[in-house]
Amino acid sequence: MDAHKVVTLAPRIRVRALGKIFGDGPTRVEALKDIDLEVCDNEFVTLVGASGCGKSTLLRIIGGLEYHTSGEILSSGKPVSGPGADRAMVFQHYSLYPWLDVMENIRFSRRLQVNRGELTSADVEVASGRAEALLNLMGLPNMAHAYPNQLSGGMQQRVAIARALMGRPEILLMDEPFGALDAQTREVMHDLILHVFKLEKATIVFVTHDVEEAIYLGQRVVLLAPRPGRIDTIYKVPLPAQRHQDMKHSREFLDLKKQILQRIRETSGMKTDSDLLEQLSRTASTQ
Amino acid sequence: MASNSLARPGIWSIRGPMSQRRYWIFAAIGLIAPIIAWSIVANSGWVEKVFMPTPGSVWARAVLWWTEDNLLQDAAISIYRVTAGWLLSAVIAMPLGLLIGTFRPVQALLEPLTDFIRYMPAVAFIPLVMLWIGIDEGSKVAIIFIGTFFQMVLMVAEDVRRVPTAQIEAAQTMGATRLEIIQLVLLPSAKPALVDTLRITMGWAWTYLVVAELVAANSGLGYAILKAQRFLQTDKIFAGILLIGVIGLVIDQLFRLLHRKAFPWMHTKS
Ligand SMILES: Nc1ncnc2c1ncn2[C@@H]1O[C@H](COP(=O)(O)OP(=O)(O)O)[C@@H](O)[C@H]1O
Ligand SMILES: [Mg+2]
């Protein structure tokens, strides 16, 4: 029902018959094939799938950091022709500027505009208010003048998220942003990003290999299958919009998790865990 | 009686800890021991004084050089040549390396060529330089330039290439243009590595200075060393070599100080 309604609205991101081939000749890799996907305004979509199935490639194409080789991609109705401030991206790591302090990192996009003379001093005033609000939102009010290498991994990612939000992007793209964090920090970050999502009303596409994370955060979970990368199944998450950690133990959550995990195994050529073990022992014995 | 805490690792454990004080004690031993050994050998009479002067006589010669023979002028002209040759190479190598490390076509155009030239021995260019430029100041600067420039270009390019892609892509998704990425990401990100590159190439510039002054000069520390050899003044040779070492060490430390002052974010850890 819901899904039908949103599709008839103009989607924020529309991907049609999209394909991506890396290289040619013997190094040719068909990373994505026939991808059809629509993400509506203010939707939170997560992408999961086995490693190498093209999650990052799809996200990077949406972000304009990678070009596609067939099909089309529209963002806010316009063809994507390169990266732009309307589609902010949060990377797994190494994206903060270590020579700038936390506040300067967050204000980086404003600095670009100031340099170009695009902002009046009143705008700058408003911007510094926003930067401070974001810093508070991220729970780092006292860290404005710390340098990134003085922060823990979790704090660094919060700064990266604040920096991405600074320019009020319509779309927030995240590629395993919590992949390098420990489990406890990750849970905190999950609730934080859901809070941000509610407050900022952005459209979020979130790549992860962690199925639990994908279900907990997403309204829909898109499962990609490898070789060539293609959309296998799109699951609608049967949880209320307001998420809570306890829901991870609910029947609906656990059922969906089991279902998706099983499907990932199947699409990557392994039916069960014992298949995986067998394959591992086979590769071990041939070495 | 079981001890319930692991003993503090000793200084000889692999990558073991060492207090600042102990570090300096060891450093002092490392610096002073060779001088003592030298002193013992030179004073023992095993080696003739002409071949191995004592530390005392080297010091006395250095003082004499300073008071009677214009040591300051020799040192000044050498420092001037090194700085000129090295600056000239830096001024050209920085933008060129930046372009090579940023744009693939420039890399393809210039990097293999530079790689090739850098394997040609700079010293072998000396006869050519003397033919073309003569033996005035320009030739010394040219030899230092040839010796440092090609390496410097490649190092600068590598420094720029080491900037994490995520830093560049983050700027792109914030709407930065190519010029803005170069100015606001590539340069500041590579800057600490660039200062290190300048420091290291300064050391090479000194090597080529001495080479240049040994064959094509009538002033400077290298020339003084050469002249001392003609008059069998081994103590002056020693004094000259040590002096160049000291000047190099001082310049190196100044660069390190600059690094600490200019990039506090690299030297602060919580
Ligand atoms: N720059 C590239 N050049 C060539 N092949 C690539 C490149 N980037 C990704 N690939 C290939 O495309 C496929 C999908 O990669 P990726 O999108 O990174 O997968 P995922 O993020 O799901 O792990 C992989 O087979 C990978 O080897
Ligand atoms: Mg990936």
Short mmCIF file of all heavy atoms in Angstrom, two decimals, chain A residues 122-170:
data_model
loop_
_atom_site.label_atom_id
_atom_site.label_comp_id
_atom_site.label_asym_id
_atom_site.label_seq_id
_atom_site.Cartn_x
_atom_site.Cartn_y
_atom_site.Cartn_z
N ALA A 122 25.43 38.10 7.13
CA ALA A 122 24.27 37.58 7.86
C ALA A 122 24.16 36.07 7.68
O ALA A 122 23.89 35.32 8.62
CB ALA A 122 23.00 38.27 7.38
N ASP A 123 24.41 35.62 6.44
CA ASP A 123 24.39 34.18 6.16
C ASP A 123 25.41 33.45 7.02
O ASP A 123 25.15 32.37 7.55
CB ASP A 123 24.72 33.90 4.68
CG ASP A 123 23.62 34.39 3.76
OD1 ASP A 123 22.47 34.47 4.23
OD2 ASP A 123 23.93 34.67 2.59
N VAL A 124 26.60 34.07 7.13
CA VAL A 124 27.67 33.45 7.90
C VAL A 124 27.26 33.31 9.36
O VAL A 124 27.51 32.29 10.00
CB VAL A 124 28.98 34.26 7.77
CG1 VAL A 124 30.06 33.68 8.66
CG2 VAL A 124 29.44 34.28 6.32
N GLU A 125 26.58 34.34 9.85
CA GLU A 125 26.07 34.32 11.23
C GLU A 125 25.15 33.11 11.43
O GLU A 125 25.31 32.33 12.35
CB GLU A 125 25.31 35.62 11.49
CG GLU A 125 25.05 35.87 12.93
CD GLU A 125 26.11 36.81 13.52
OE1 GLU A 125 27.17 37.00 12.88
OE2 GLU A 125 25.87 37.31 14.60
N VAL A 126 24.20 32.98 10.51
CA VAL A 126 23.25 31.88 10.57
C VAL A 126 24.00 30.55 10.51
O VAL A 126 23.73 29.62 11.25
CB VAL A 126 22.24 31.97 9.40
CG1 VAL A 126 21.37 30.72 9.35
CG2 VAL A 126 21.38 33.21 9.55
N ALA A 127 24.99 30.50 9.63
CA ALA A 127 25.75 29.27 9.44
C ALA A 127 26.48 28.87 10.71
O ALA A 127 26.52 27.70 11.07
CB ALA A 127 26.75 29.44 8.30
N SER A 128 27.04 29.86 11.41
CA SER A 128 27.78 29.48 12.60
C SER A 128 26.82 29.00 13.68
O SER A 128 27.15 28.11 14.46
CB SER A 128 28.65 30.64 13.09
OG SER A 128 27.85 31.63 13.65
N GLY A 129 25.59 29.55 13.67
CA GLY A 129 24.57 29.02 14.56
C GLY A 129 24.25 27.58 14.24
O GLY A 129 24.14 26.73 15.13
N ARG A 130 24.15 27.29 12.95
CA ARG A 130 23.84 25.92 12.53
C ARG A 130 24.97 24.97 12.90
O ARG A 130 24.72 23.86 13.37
CB ARG A 130 23.59 25.87 11.03
CG ARG A 130 23.50 24.45 10.47
CD ARG A 130 22.52 24.35 9.33
NE ARG A 130 22.51 23.01 8.74
CZ ARG A 130 21.71 22.03 9.15
NH1 ARG A 130 20.89 22.23 10.17
NH2 ARG A 130 21.74 20.85 8.56
N ALA A 131 26.20 25.40 12.69
CA ALA A 131 27.34 24.54 13.02
C ALA A 131 27.32 24.19 14.51
O ALA A 131 27.55 23.04 14.88
CB ALA A 131 28.64 25.23 12.65
N GLU A 132 27.00 25.18 15.32
CA GLU A 132 26.97 24.91 16.76
C GLU A 132 25.83 23.98 17.12
O GLU A 132 25.98 23.08 17.95
CB GLU A 132 26.85 26.22 17.54
CG GLU A 132 28.07 26.47 18.39
CD GLU A 132 28.37 27.94 18.53
OE1 GLU A 132 27.52 28.65 19.11
OE2 GLU A 132 29.44 28.37 18.06
N ALA A 133 24.67 24.18 16.47
CA ALA A 133 23.53 23.31 16.72
C ALA A 133 23.87 21.87 16.35
O ALA A 133 23.53 20.92 17.06
CB ALA A 133 22.32 23.80 15.92
N LEU A 134 24.56 21.70 15.22
CA LEU A 134 24.93 20.35 14.78
C LEU A 134 25.91 19.71 15.76
O LEU A 134 25.81 18.52 16.07
CB LEU A 134 25.55 20.40 13.39
CG LEU A 134 24.55 20.57 12.24
CD1 LEU A 134 25.28 20.86 10.93
CD2 LEU A 134 23.67 19.33 12.09
N LEU A 135 26.83 20.53 16.26
CA LEU A 135 27.81 20.02 17.21
C LEU A 135 27.09 19.53 18.48
O LEU A 135 27.42 18.47 19.01
CB LEU A 135 28.79 21.15 17.56
CG LEU A 135 30.14 20.72 18.11
CD1 LEU A 135 30.88 19.88 17.10
CD2 LEU A 135 30.96 21.94 18.46
N ASN A 136 26.10 20.28 18.91
CA ASN A 136 25.32 19.86 20.07
C ASN A 136 24.51 18.61 19.77
O ASN A 136 24.45 17.69 20.57
CB ASN A 136 24.37 20.98 20.51
CG ASN A 136 25.11 22.10 21.20
OD1 ASN A 136 26.12 21.85 21.86
ND2 ASN A 136 24.64 23.32 21.03
N LEU A 137 23.91 18.60 18.59
CA LEU A 137 23.11 17.45 18.18
C LEU A 137 23.95 16.19 18.22
O LEU A 137 23.50 15.11 18.60
CB LEU A 137 22.56 17.70 16.77
CG LEU A 137 21.80 16.56 16.11
CD1 LEU A 137 20.54 16.23 16.90
CD2 LEU A 137 21.43 16.92 14.68
N MET A 138 25.23 16.33 17.82
CA MET A 138 26.11 15.17 17.77
C MET A 138 26.72 14.86 19.14
O MET A 138 27.55 13.97 19.27
CB MET A 138 27.25 15.42 16.77
CG MET A 138 26.78 15.47 15.34
SD MET A 138 26.06 13.91 14.85
CE MET A 138 24.86 14.45 13.66
N GLY A 139 26.33 15.64 20.15
CA GLY A 139 26.83 15.38 21.50
C GLY A 139 28.29 15.74 21.69
O GLY A 139 28.98 15.11 22.49
N LEU A 140 28.75 16.73 20.94
CA LEU A 140 30.17 17.11 21.05
C LEU A 140 30.34 18.60 21.37
O LEU A 140 31.20 19.26 20.79
CB LEU A 140 30.89 16.81 19.72
CG LEU A 140 30.90 15.37 19.23
CD1 LEU A 140 31.35 15.31 17.78
CD2 LEU A 140 31.79 14.52 20.10
N PRO A 141 29.52 19.15 22.28
CA PRO A 141 29.56 20.60 22.47
C PRO A 141 30.91 21.13 22.92
O PRO A 141 31.25 22.26 22.64
CB PRO A 141 28.48 20.84 23.54
CG PRO A 141 28.34 19.55 24.23
CD PRO A 141 28.61 18.49 23.21
N ASN A 142 31.71 20.29 23.61
CA ASN A 142 32.99 20.79 24.12
C ASN A 142 34.17 20.49 23.21
O ASN A 142 35.31 20.72 23.56
CB ASN A 142 33.27 20.19 25.50
CG ASN A 142 32.14 20.49 26.47
OD1 ASN A 142 31.58 21.59 26.44
ND2 ASN A 142 31.77 19.51 27.26
N MET A 143 33.86 19.94 22.07
CA MET A 143 34.94 19.45 21.21
C MET A 143 35.23 20.38 20.03
O MET A 143 35.98 20.02 19.13
CB MET A 143 34.58 18.07 20.65
CG MET A 143 34.55 17.00 21.70
SD MET A 143 36.21 16.79 22.39
CE MET A 143 35.90 15.50 23.57
N ALA A 144 34.62 21.57 20.04
CA ALA A 144 34.72 22.45 18.87
C ALA A 144 36.16 22.68 18.42
O ALA A 144 36.43 22.77 17.23
CB ALA A 144 34.04 23.77 19.16
N HIS A 145 37.08 22.75 19.37
CA HIS A 145 38.44 23.12 18.99
C HIS A 145 39.44 21.97 19.09
O HIS A 145 40.64 22.18 19.06
CB HIS A 145 38.90 24.34 19.78
CG HIS A 145 37.99 25.52 19.53
ND1 HIS A 145 37.86 26.08 18.28
CD2 HIS A 145 37.12 26.17 20.34
CE1 HIS A 145 36.96 27.05 18.34
NE2 HIS A 145 36.49 27.12 19.58
N ALA A 146 38.90 20.76 19.20
CA ALA A 146 39.79 19.59 19.18
C ALA A 146 40.12 19.26 17.73
O ALA A 146 39.37 19.59 16.81
CB ALA A 146 39.10 18.41 19.84
N TYR A 147 41.28 18.63 17.52
CA TYR A 147 41.62 18.15 16.19
C TYR A 147 41.14 16.70 16.02
O TYR A 147 41.04 15.96 17.01
CB TYR A 147 43.14 18.20 15.98
CG TYR A 147 43.66 19.60 15.79
CD1 TYR A 147 44.45 20.20 16.75
CD2 TYR A 147 43.34 20.32 14.64
CE1 TYR A 147 44.92 21.50 16.58
CE2 TYR A 147 43.81 21.61 14.46
CZ TYR A 147 44.59 22.19 15.43
OH TYR A 147 45.05 23.46 15.25
N PRO A 148 40.83 16.31 14.79
CA PRO A 148 40.29 14.96 14.57
C PRO A 148 41.12 13.85 15.22
O PRO A 148 40.55 12.90 15.76
CB PRO A 148 40.28 14.82 13.05
CG PRO A 148 40.05 16.22 12.57
CD PRO A 148 40.80 17.09 13.54
N ASN A 149 42.46 13.95 15.18
CA ASN A 149 43.23 12.83 15.73
C ASN A 149 43.22 12.79 17.26
O ASN A 149 43.81 11.91 17.86
CB ASN A 149 44.67 12.82 15.17
CG ASN A 149 45.52 13.93 15.74
OD1 ASN A 149 45.03 14.80 16.47
ND2 ASN A 149 46.80 13.92 15.40
N GLN A 150 42.52 13.76 17.87
CA GLN A 150 42.34 13.70 19.32
C GLN A 150 41.02 13.04 19.69
O GLN A 150 40.71 12.89 20.86
CB GLN A 150 42.38 15.11 19.91
CG GLN A 150 43.74 15.79 19.75
CD GLN A 150 43.69 17.24 20.19
OE1 GLN A 150 42.96 18.03 19.61
NE2 GLN A 150 44.46 17.59 21.19
N LEU A 151 40.23 12.67 18.67
CA LEU A 151 38.90 12.11 18.91
C LEU A 151 38.89 10.60 18.71
O LEU A 151 39.69 10.06 17.94
CB LEU A 151 37.88 12.73 17.94
CG LEU A 151 37.76 14.25 17.90
CD1 LEU A 151 36.71 14.65 16.88
CD2 LEU A 151 37.41 14.79 19.27
N SER A 152 37.95 9.93 19.39
CA SER A 152 37.77 8.50 19.17
C SER A 152 37.12 8.30 17.80
O SER A 152 36.60 9.24 17.19
CB SER A 152 36.86 7.92 20.24
OG SER A 152 35.55 8.43 20.08
N GLY A 153 37.14 7.06 17.31
CA GLY A 153 36.55 6.76 16.01
C GLY A 153 35.09 7.17 15.92
O GLY A 153 34.64 7.74 14.92
N GLY A 154 34.33 6.91 16.99
CA GLY A 154 32.92 7.26 17.01
C GLY A 154 32.71 8.76 16.92
O GLY A 154 31.86 9.26 16.17
N MET A 155 33.52 9.51 17.67
CA MET A 155 33.42 10.98 17.63
C MET A 155 33.78 11.49 16.24
O MET A 155 33.14 12.42 15.73
CB MET A 155 34.37 11.60 18.66
CG MET A 155 33.94 11.41 20.10
SD MET A 155 35.25 12.03 21.17
CE MET A 155 34.46 11.99 22.75
N GLN A 156 34.80 10.91 15.63
CA GLN A 156 35.19 11.35 14.29
C GLN A 156 34.04 11.18 13.31
O GLN A 156 33.77 12.07 12.49
CB GLN A 156 36.40 10.56 13.80
CG GLN A 156 37.67 10.92 14.55
CD GLN A 156 38.90 10.22 13.99
OE1 GLN A 156 38.87 9.66 12.90
NE2 GLN A 156 39.97 10.24 14.74
N GLN A 157 33.33 10.05 13.42
CA GLN A 157 32.22 9.84 12.50
C GLN A 157 31.08 10.82 12.77
O GLN A 157 30.38 11.24 11.85
CB GLN A 157 31.72 8.39 12.57
CG GLN A 157 32.63 7.40 11.87
CD GLN A 157 33.04 7.81 10.46
OE1 GLN A 157 33.86 8.69 10.26
NE2 GLN A 157 32.45 7.18 9.46
N ARG A 158 30.90 11.20 14.03
CA ARG A 158 29.87 12.20 14.32
C ARG A 158 30.21 13.52 13.67
O ARG A 158 29.34 14.21 13.14
CB ARG A 158 29.76 12.43 15.83
CG ARG A 158 29.16 11.25 16.54
CD ARG A 158 29.01 11.62 17.97
NE ARG A 158 29.19 10.46 18.80
CZ ARG A 158 28.78 10.40 20.04
NH1 ARG A 158 28.20 11.45 20.59
NH2 ARG A 158 28.96 9.31 20.74
N VAL A 159 31.49 13.88 13.71
CA VAL A 159 31.91 15.13 13.07
C VAL A 159 31.69 15.02 11.56
O VAL A 159 31.19 15.96 10.93
CB VAL A 159 33.39 15.44 13.37
CG1 VAL A 159 33.83 16.70 12.65
CG2 VAL A 159 33.61 15.59 14.87
N ALA A 160 32.02 13.86 11.00
CA ALA A 160 31.84 13.67 9.55
C ALA A 160 30.36 13.81 9.18
O ALA A 160 30.03 14.41 8.15
CB ALA A 160 32.38 12.31 9.13
N ILE A 161 29.47 13.29 10.03
CA ILE A 161 28.04 13.40 9.75
C ILE A 161 27.59 14.86 9.86
O ILE A 161 26.87 15.38 9.00
CB ILE A 161 27.22 12.50 10.71
CG1 ILE A 161 27.54 11.03 10.42
CG2 ILE A 161 25.73 12.76 10.56
CD1 ILE A 161 27.02 10.07 11.48
N ALA A 162 28.06 15.53 10.92
CA ALA A 162 27.71 16.95 11.08
C ALA A 162 28.18 17.76 9.89
O ALA A 162 27.47 18.62 9.37
CB ALA A 162 28.31 17.50 12.37
N ARG A 163 29.39 17.47 9.43
CA ARG A 163 29.93 18.21 8.29
C ARG A 163 29.08 17.97 7.04
O ARG A 163 28.80 18.90 6.28
CB ARG A 163 31.37 17.76 8.03
CG ARG A 163 32.04 18.55 6.92
CD ARG A 163 33.45 18.08 6.66
NE ARG A 163 33.48 16.72 6.18
CZ ARG A 163 34.59 16.07 5.84
NH1 ARG A 163 35.76 16.66 5.99
NH2 ARG A 163 34.53 14.84 5.41
N ALA A 164 28.65 16.72 6.87
CA ALA A 164 27.82 16.40 5.70
C ALA A 164 26.47 17.10 5.78
O ALA A 164 25.91 17.53 4.77
CB ALA A 164 27.63 14.89 5.59
N LEU A 165 25.94 17.25 7.01
CA LEU A 165 24.61 17.86 7.17
C LEU A 165 24.66 19.38 7.06
O LEU A 165 23.63 20.02 6.82
CB LEU A 165 24.02 17.48 8.53
CG LEU A 165 23.63 16.02 8.71
CD1 LEU A 165 23.29 15.76 10.17
CD2 LEU A 165 22.44 15.68 7.81
N MET A 166 25.82 19.95 7.26
CA MET A 166 25.97 21.40 7.35
C MET A 166 25.32 22.12 6.17
O MET A 166 24.64 23.13 6.35
CB MET A 166 27.47 21.73 7.43
CG MET A 166 27.78 23.18 7.62
SD MET A 166 27.22 23.80 9.20
CE MET A 166 27.36 25.55 8.91
N GLY A 167 25.51 21.62 4.97
CA GLY A 167 24.97 22.29 3.80
C GLY A 167 23.52 21.93 3.51
O GLY A 167 23.04 22.19 2.41
N ARG A 168 22.82 21.36 4.47
CA ARG A 168 21.43 20.91 4.31
C ARG A 168 21.23 20.15 3.00
O ARG A 168 20.46 20.57 2.12
CB ARG A 168 20.48 22.11 4.32
CG ARG A 168 20.45 22.85 5.62
CD ARG A 168 19.34 23.88 5.63
NE ARG A 168 19.46 24.77 6.76
CZ ARG A 168 19.00 24.47 7.98
NH1 ARG A 168 18.39 23.34 8.21
NH2 ARG A 168 19.15 25.34 8.97
N PRO A 169 21.93 19.03 2.84
CA PRO A 169 21.78 18.25 1.60
C PRO A 169 20.39 17.61 1.55
O PRO A 169 19.80 17.35 2.59
CB PRO A 169 22.86 17.18 1.72
CG PRO A 169 23.01 16.99 3.19
CD PRO A 169 22.80 18.35 3.80
N GLU A 170 19.88 17.45 0.34
CA GLU A 170 18.60 16.75 0.21
C GLU A 170 18.80 15.25 0.45
O GLU A 170 17.91 14.57 0.95
CB GLU A 170 18.03 16.99 -1.19
CG GLU A 170 17.45 18.38 -1.33
CD GLU A 170 17.59 18.94 -2.73
OE1 GLU A 170 18.05 18.22 -3.64
OE2 GLU A 170 17.23 20.12 -2.92
#
